[in-house]
Amino acid sequence: MRRATIIGWGAYTPPAVLSNADLETVIDTNDEWITTRSGIKERRISHVSNAEMATAASRRALAAAGVDASDIDLVVVATCTPDRALPSVAAYVQRQLGGLGATMDLNAACSGFVYALSVADGMIAAGTVNRALVIGAERLSSYLDLTDRTTAVLFGDGAGAVVVEATEGPEGLLASNLHSDGSLTEILTIRGGGTENVFDDAIPLTVAMEGREIFRHAVTRMGEGTTTAIETADLEIEDVDVLISHQANIRIIDATAKRLKVSPEKVYTNIHAYGNTSAASIPIALSEALDQGVIEPGNIVAMVAFGGGLTWGAAVLRWGERTTRLGDADHGLPDTDKTGLQLLRERAQGLGVQ
Ligand code: ACO
């Protein structure tokens, strides 16, 4: 059966770090609370656009795959923080990399990468696409309210990308499922910025969420989604070698793994370093797991995510023979001498948030 297999991977995590100690200087919070409640120690704040981060991650993914941008039939960027309403981030990625394949963005919030991977797989199975660049890229620092300690400590910026291509072999995406419960739209939202409130300055341009409600739904739904994907792939939970969950909160990840009875050593996490990077979190984690040798040839890898919508989705794949890069590429972006806190303040002020 024709399906998608990952042949290249890459990530871009901006250099400017925002630590818990930095946040202590601007909001009423502390390292102990953030660490025990979320697992986050620091996050990155971007000095470049979403599309530039997405392109940087893609350059590395293309080099790892040994594929030229002109051989890509589809660029899909999972994001809820596009640089502009129009055109898509994916179009800007193509502008920088070249090529004439289809470009589109997909917004399923933090579930976006699993959604995008599944969409690319479906198009590959249908025969309309042979190779796709699937990207998760987010600049959530643009939507943080430095006066709201319940959200400002959680999010960060970054991008991850994979190159997938058609295979008829045993490797590749074995199963995926995507869901959403539209009755829960209001528990995680950015109300401003869309056409609904375009002339209303009173509508905040910041993340608003009901943390405890999201937590509860996330653990249940991610457990269900993963179980279903594993069953659809005709596998048992014991067959999973590596579980890569959306990095939103270490307690959510631990609770999900416990519910699924996946042992902790099979769970890859990097939330301590990047916080919640929404749709970018799984491809960044996947890329790091591969570069650190965590994923071995033939491994069964499960990915699961949840996010605003409330969306959730899971994917199970069998890794192929190659777990090393064919090549690498410089990210091609300028450095910055600004701190994460400086950048965050500049963004917030520019948006009139604070
Ligand atoms: N520093 C110190 N204290 C804080 C902070 C902070 N940053 N934030 C909240 N508190 C206080 C609260 O005010 C509260 O105090 P009170 O008891 O005096 O009222 C206390 O800490 C406990 O607050 P809770 O909200 O009950 O804390 P909880 O244990 O639920 O943890 C958290 C909060 C981390 C937000 C958790 O609920 C969570 O991770 N939820 C999921 C959120 C999530 O994943 N969102 C992203 C979804 S992905 C996407 O689509 C973008």
Side-chain angles (χ1 to χ4, degrees), residues 29 33 37 110 149 188 209 211-212 248-249 251 276 306-308:
T29 190
W33 190 97
R37 297 290 176 126
C110 305
R149 67 178 182 172
L188 180 51
M209 67 172 198
R212 276 188 214 177
N249 184 317
R251 290 184 297 143
N276 181 347
F306 71 97

Side-chain angles (χ1 to χ4, degrees), residues 27-31 33-34 36-38 80 108-111 138 140 148-155 187-188 190 207 209-216 218 246-252 276-279 306-311:
I27 42 178
D28 180 17
T29 190
N30 55 79
D31 174 56
W33 190 97
I34 302 171
T36 54
R37 297 290 176 126
S38 73
C80 59
C110 305
S111 310
E138 301 278 18
L140 272 155
D148 179 6
R149 67 178 182 172
T150 65
T151 54
V153 302
L154 300 176
F155 298 98
I187 69 172
L188 180 51
I190 299 172
V207 178
M209 67 172 198
E210 294 174 31
R212 276 188 214 177
E213 267 304 282
I214 298 169
F215 196 117
R216 198 167 60 81
H246 168 45
Q247 309 285 301
N249 184 317
I250 195 70
R251 290 184 297 143
I252 294 177
N276 181 347
T277 58
S278 189
F306 71 97
L310 198 89
T311 57

Side-chain angles (χ1 to χ4, degrees), residues 66-213:
V67 165
D68 192 78
S70 59
D71 293 325
I72 295 291
D73 306 317
L74 167 72
V75 181
V76 53
V77 179
T79 189
C80 59
T81 54
D83 300 312
R84 296 185 186 180
L86 185 77
S88 65
V89 176
Y92 281 101
V93 170
Q94 190 185 59
R95 175 180 160 142
Q96 293 177 78
L97 295 177
L100 287 173
T103 57
M104 64 176 170
D105 287 1
L106 184 158
N107 181 355
C110 305
S111 310
F113 181 76
V114 174
Y115 267 60
L117 195 59
S118 181
V119 166
D121 178 61
M123 291 177 78
I124 282 174
T128 46
V129 162
N130 285 317
R131 282 201 187 111
L133 191 50
V134 181
I135 306 164
E138 301 278 18
R139 200 179 184 193
L140 272 155
S141 63
S142 299
Y143 295 99
L144 293 186
D145 178 357
L146 275 175
T147 63
D148 179 6
R149 67 178 182 172
T150 65
T151 54
V153 302
L154 300 176
F155 298 98
D157 301 332
V162 296
V163 176
V164 294
E165 79 173 3
T167 179
E168 306 225 7
E171 74 282 11
L173 199 67
L174 303 176
S176 64
N177 59 74
L178 311 175
H179 296 279
S180 183
D181 182 348
S183 72
L184 297 172
T185 50
E186 301 311 300
I187 69 172
L188 180 51
T189 182
I190 299 172
R191 288 186 60 209
T195 55
E196 181 189 33
N197 299 307
V198 77
F199 299 117
D200 191 343
D201 291 341
I203 302 297
L205 267 170
T206 49
V207 178
M209 67 172 198
E210 294 174 31
R212 276 188 214 177
E213 267 304 282

Side-chain angles (χ1 to χ4, degrees), residues 227-250:
T227 304
T228 305
I230 288 167
E231 283 171 5
T232 312
D234 236 351
L235 295 169
E236 309 283 333
I237 196 75
E238 300 75 43
D239 296 324
V240 173
D241 296 298
V242 182
L243 175 68
I244 299 184
S245 162
H246 168 45
Q247 309 285 301
N249 184 317
I250 195 70

